[in-house]
Amino acid sequence: MKSYDKLLKEASGEQLKYITRRHFLLDCVTGLGAAAMGTFLAGCGNSAVSNIAQITDPMAPRIPHFPARAKSVIYLHMAGAPSQLELFDYKPELQKLHNQLCPQSFLEGKTFAFIRGVPKMLGPQAEFKQRGQSGAWVSDHLPHFASMADDVSFLKAVQTDQFNHGPAQLLMQTGSARLGRPSIGSWVTYGLGTENSNLPGFVVLTSGGKTPDAGKSVWGSGFLPSVYQGVQCRTQGDPVLYISDPEGVSRDVRKASIEAINEINKQEYESFGDPETLARISQYELAYKMQISVPDVMDINKEPAYIHELYGTQPGKESFANNCLLARKLVEKGVRFVQLYDWGWDSHGTDENLAIDYGFRNKCREIDRPIAALLQDLKQRGLLDETLVVWGGEFGRTPMQENRDGKDMPFLGRDHHVEAFTMWMAGAGIKKGYSYGETDEIGYSAIKGKVAINDIHATILQQLGFDHEKLTYQFQGRPFRLTDTSGKVITPILS
């Protein structure tokens, strides 16, 4: 009787499998597993990566839409937003207005993060000179970078619509001010794969003691398979957490365990067709390869003395200089996208470290020599011709002095500003010694050559060989792209 009851229960269970939601979701060939695979294939079909290799090996090298000028990107993001008025946007007229009350016309209908009432104007807290044959204006805050001014294109009239750090950083790094979109590096590795299967295609390095205000979402993969998210590496201790074998576990045992896990993952994929399972398999295999390749490439101790002198590096410490040197080493090894975040650029004047005439100067000293060294080092190795270097923050700073809650600040500072700020690009088909765009006489508004954030993205993809309107991924019923529904290539800065 007990055997009969058991058989009856099993039969009933089998019948329920074919009429219940659980069966539809997990087992049915027309269920969500197949739908997910169909979506993935559809996403590939709308881009340059329409081949089965992306399914079986999501990081395999792929061909872009047209011949690319750039093979890799190094993006230097100054989290907190540096002041363009103390670096690149020379405004002598603003100096004449120093300490005068701000004209009402600059305040009407405007929204600021902290300024209230009527603030005072704040003249440039730096000396400017024209540099090189191009005559680009660069302040004395960046004397080393000034020597490389003839190798870059300045974008003087960049605009954004986000004046708070988190949303502005998300917009700059993902094309959307809301969470959930893939980062630039994720789109690039999705489109191009990687040339070095022993290293991540997208590496993230941070300095300044903190991560960006928007958190690790700024290098996340969003709705793309997670294999395309950025891998954060450290310059202190193990470059990646848990990269070393546990005590008592040999490399052979580690390899056998990964093979066993991936065999289960393969069976899971064959049963349900979820592309994220393939991403998981790829990540396990990459993690095993990284145990040897990452510690080697992240070791700067082997670099010659003149390189350490050039960058101002300090092996074993977390620093922006170390990260710039690592960025060169990574692109040299075939990494597609290297993202450097340097925190601490929010110059409100609330204390000495955030003062535009003190803390800001110190931050400039930290980045000046390493950035110049990075450009020079890439150039002397022949890598600058195929590496796109991008520099900027998430927005700019106001020509007015911040007066939080209508009161004067204890130190000189500038509030967040969305209407005009400066970024620059170099290498990989970017014009040398060129300035595009212009602001008004006090640096408040863009009056010529306006550039939106999606235009920056479109230009980066263009140099990598992509039509930004065609690099898409099918999600929630429509094709998504990095530039969303706008964006145009900034052709004047292309050589």
Side-chain angles (χ1 to χ4, degrees), residues 379-451:
K379 188 175 181 180
Q380 70 187 9
R381 294 169 188 269
L383 291 171
L384 190 56
D385 290 338
E386 59 187 36
T387 304
L388 177 63
V389 183
V390 183
W391 180 95
E394 59 265 31
F395 41 65
R397 314 302 296 200
T398 58
M400 302 87 80
Q401 183 175 343
E402 184 170 323
N403 65 336
R404 190 166 296 194
D405 298 324
K407 300 176 182 178
D408 289 342
M409 306 298 290
F411 297 91
L412 295 179
R414 299 187 187 277
D415 202 356
H416 306 168
H417 193 56
V418 301
E419 297 196 25
F421 61 104
T422 301
M423 295 181 66
W424 58 257
M425 296 186 183
I430 300 296
K431 281 183 181 177
K432 298 178 180 180
Y434 187 72
S435 289
Y436 178 69
E438 184 181 340
T439 59
D440 60 26
E441 61 183 8
I442 65 168
Y444 188 89
S445 298
I447 59 175
K448 187 188 298 183
K450 298 177 183 178
V451 169

Side-chain angles (χ1 to χ4, degrees), residues 206-236:
T206 63
S207 57
K210 295 183 181 179
T211 55
D213 298 73
K216 297 183 179 182
S217 297
V218 290
W219 62 80
S221 58
F223 47 70
L224 291 177
S226 57
V227 70
Y228 300 117
Q229 69 185 1
V231 175
Q232 184 180 2
C233 292
R234 308 184 304 163
T235 52
Q236 289 179 308

Side-chain angles (χ1 to χ4, degrees), residues 10 12 39 57 91 106 117 132 143 145 152 190 208 254 265 304 313-315 333 368 394 434 439 469-470 472 474:
E10 289 179 356
S12 177
T39 299
D57 183 3
K91 298 299 173 183
F106 292 131
F145 172 80
V152 309
Y190 161 67
R254 173 67 72 91
N265 284 330
T313 47
Q314 295 179 292
K333 293 291 187 181
D368 177 37
E394 59 265 31
Y434 187 72
T439 59
E469 294 184 350
K470 295 180 180 178
T472 63
Q474 197 77 14

Side-chain angles (χ1 to χ4, degrees), residues 294-468:
V294 168
D296 179 60
V297 75
M298 295 293 290
D299 182 7
I300 63 174
N301 287 291
K302 298 176 183 177
E303 293 292 317
Y306 79 90
I307 288 292
H308 290 297
E309 175 66 23
L310 182 67
Y311 283 86
T313 47
Q314 295 179 292
K317 294 185 178 181
E318 180 194 273
S319 72
F320 182 77
N322 287 7
N323 288 350
C324 283
L325 175 53
L326 287 169
R328 186 269 289 168
K329 286 169 63 68
L330 288 163
V331 298
E332 200 171 29
K333 293 291 187 181
V335 173
R336 289 289 189 196
F337 202 98
V338 184
Q339 180 77 63
L340 272 62
Y341 292 101
D342 186 59
W343 185 87
W345 290 91
D346 200 15
S347 306
H348 286 288
T350 50
D351 57 44
E352 194 172 55
N353 285 330
L354 295 179
I356 204 73
D357 56 344
Y358 182 78
F360 181 80
R361 288 176 181 266
N362 292 336
K363 289 298 297 181
C364 289
R365 291 190 188 99
E366 291 176 10
I367 70 162
D368 177 37
R369 187 172 167 190
I371 290 178
L374 174 62
L375 294 174
Q376 184 179 340
D377 199 10
L378 289 170
K379 188 175 181 180
Q380 70 187 9
R381 294 169 188 269
L383 291 171
L384 190 56
D385 290 338
E386 59 187 36
T387 304
L388 177 63
V389 183
V390 183
W391 180 95
E394 59 265 31
F395 41 65
R397 314 302 296 200
T398 58
M400 302 87 80
Q401 183 175 343
E402 184 170 323
N403 65 336
R404 190 166 296 194
D405 298 324
K407 300 176 182 178
D408 289 342
M409 306 298 290
F411 297 91
L412 295 179
R414 299 187 187 277
D415 202 356
H416 306 168
H417 193 56
V418 301
E419 297 196 25
F421 61 104
T422 301
M423 295 181 66
W424 58 257
M425 296 186 183
I430 300 296
K431 281 183 181 177
K432 298 178 180 180
Y434 187 72
S435 289
Y436 178 69
E438 184 181 340
T439 59
D440 60 26
E441 61 183 8
I442 65 168
Y444 188 89
S445 298
I447 59 175
K448 187 188 298 183
K450 298 177 183 178
V451 169
I453 304 304
N454 286 333
D455 300 338
I456 302 285
H457 298 157
T459 306
I460 291 173
L461 293 180
Q462 169 80 17
Q463 297 311 93
L464 289 163
F466 287 108
D467 180 337
H468 72 98

